[in-house]
Amino acid sequence: MGAFVFWRMSYFLRDPHRQVPPGSDTLVAAADGYVVYVKRVERGEVPIAVKGRRSILLSEYAGVGTEASGYLIGTYMTERSVHRNRAPIAGEVVLRRHRPALPINRSMARMSTNVLFRRAPYDEGSEHLITNERLTIGIRPARGGIVYVTQIADIWINRIVARVEPGQRLGKGEQYGLIRFGSQCDVFLPDDVAAQVSVCPGQYVYAGETVLARAVSGEPDCR
């Protein structure tokens, strides 16, 4: 019991220092955890491996009306991950949108199992991607379109925390929220902000520190 209380009240909420890489030519991870997908988004449609669906509208997934193309990068946070979230890029917060669960939060056990046993695609059968509670913020950088960060809650979550409102400014790597106690955090990068993704599925990343993408032309460096 003592170990559980320590994990839930101390270890889980730890807040280690992060060294944010300098410069405006990189974007950083918004969460600690395993990258579970790097999905190509074409005109607002996201491919998804849930219940035989071939695609889902980004507006249905993240609650934002956009037909932009780019990349959606999903990071699954394990029970050992730091659960604090950080801004992947500097800019103004222009959107904050909450979507309740449909109809209830589902467990992320399928995603966890896929990651543990390295069963790709990791989102296979992960129904939480289309059912669970989520909170999306939109960050508009100095140049380019809006970068969206979506916090997705697991079934055991107490609450999603995002301490920002539209009109506020965030620095790259600045901490803005967390998920008590879980779960997944996705970042949508439009093509006019970042075209070269620097991470691959299965890689472990660190919020505010790991370079997620570079603001240059090119394809994801995944083999």
Side-chain angles (χ1 to χ4, degrees), residues 142-180:
R143 290 181 300 222
I146 301 173
V147 173
Y148 295 105
V149 186
T150 301
Q151 299 164 292
I152 307 174
D154 197 356
I155 190 172
W156 306 111
I157 296 309
N158 291 70
R159 62 192 175 111
I160 296 175
V161 178
R163 302 185 184 94
V164 289
E165 296 292 343
Q168 292 181 236
R169 295 195 63 82
L170 288 171
K172 183 175 73 172
E174 182 177 348
Q175 186 181 142
Y176 77 89
L178 71 156
I179 310 178
R180 301 173 181 267

Side-chain angles (χ1 to χ4, degrees), residues 2 21 41 53 83 133 201 217:
V41 178
R53 299 179 106 176
H83 280 69
E133 177 190 5
S217 298

Side-chain angles (χ1 to χ4, degrees), residues 37 39-40 45-57 60-61 72 121 123-131 134:
Y37 47 72
K39 294 180 179 291
R40 179 63 189 169
E45 289 197 2
V46 184
I48 189 168
V50 179
K51 287 188 173 179
R53 299 179 106 176
R54 299 184 61 186
S55 67
I56 185 173
L57 291 177
E60 180 182 350
Y61 177 83
L72 182 68
D123 59 323
E124 179 71 40
S126 299
E127 294 187 22
H128 70 273
L129 293 173
I130 57 176
T131 62
R134 62 204 61 213

Side-chain angles (χ1 to χ4, degrees), residues 84-136:
R84 297 178 183 272
N85 301 129
R86 296 174 179 267
I89 195 170
E92 179 186 359
V93 177
V94 294
L95 174 141
R96 175 190 166 109
R97 187 158 297 161
H98 174 263
R99 195 198 80 179
L102 303 173
I104 60 172
N105 279 349
R106 292 183 179 271
S107 170
M108 293 186 183
R110 182 63 179 271
M111 180 77 81
S112 181
T113 300
N114 289 347
V115 169
L116 177 64
F117 292 101
R118 298 289 177 170
R119 296 172 182 164
Y122 299 117
D123 59 323
E124 179 71 40
S126 299
E127 294 187 22
H128 70 273
L129 293 173
I130 57 176
T131 62
N132 285 25
E133 177 190 5
R134 62 204 61 213
L135 193 151
T136 298

